[in-house]
């Protein structure tokens, strides 16, 4: 969280990947922060991959995670995807 919140988006994403490799199950806060990192990097492909992981772990119904997804898609320049997430 500290990396993403302080503009160190690449480090945040690397840490998230290390968590997954070592078997740490991400929680809602981890997903919100990785989406913020994707937004900061403008990394749509990473954001979509994170979205798929969010669905896998069942956090796609959470309102706060949904808001982070809207934000990520909007900042990555895909207004249609942001609108789709907002409408959910």
């Amino acid at each position: 969280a500290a990396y993403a919140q302080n503009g160190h988006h690449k480090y945040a994403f690397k840490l998230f990947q290390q968590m997954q490799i070592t078997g740490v199950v991400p929680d809602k806060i981890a997903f919100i922060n990785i989406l913020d990192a994707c937004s900061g990097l403008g990394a749509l492909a990473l954001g979509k991959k994170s979205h798929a992981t969010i669905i896998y772990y069942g956090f796609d119904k959470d309102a706060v995670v949904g808001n982070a997804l809207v934000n990520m898609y909007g900042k990555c320049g895909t207004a249609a995807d942001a609108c789709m997430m907002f409408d959910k």
Side-chain angles (χ1 to χ4, degrees), residues 53-82:
T53 306
I54 286 166
I55 292 169
Y56 175 80
Y57 284 109
F59 287 102
D60 54 314
K61 304 289 187 240
D62 184 273
V64 179
V65 174
N67 187 53
L69 283 163
V70 169
N71 185 52
M72 184 275 298
Y73 281 121
K75 287 186 177 180
C76 288
T78 56
D81 289 331

Side-chain angles (χ1 to χ4, degrees), residues 1 30 37 66 68 87:
D87 289 339

Side-chain angles (χ1 to χ4, degrees), residues 26-37:
D27 62 6
K28 172 174 136 171
I29 303 303
F31 284 123
I32 291 166
N33 283 290
I34 200 60
L35 291 171
D36 183 51

Side-chain angles (χ1 to χ4, degrees), residues 4 6 8 13-15 17 22 28 30 55 66 74 88:
N6 288 295
H8 301 289
F13 199 78
K14 285 181 183 181
L15 181 60
Q17 288 177 319
T22 60
K28 172 174 136 171
I55 292 169
K88 282 188 174 185

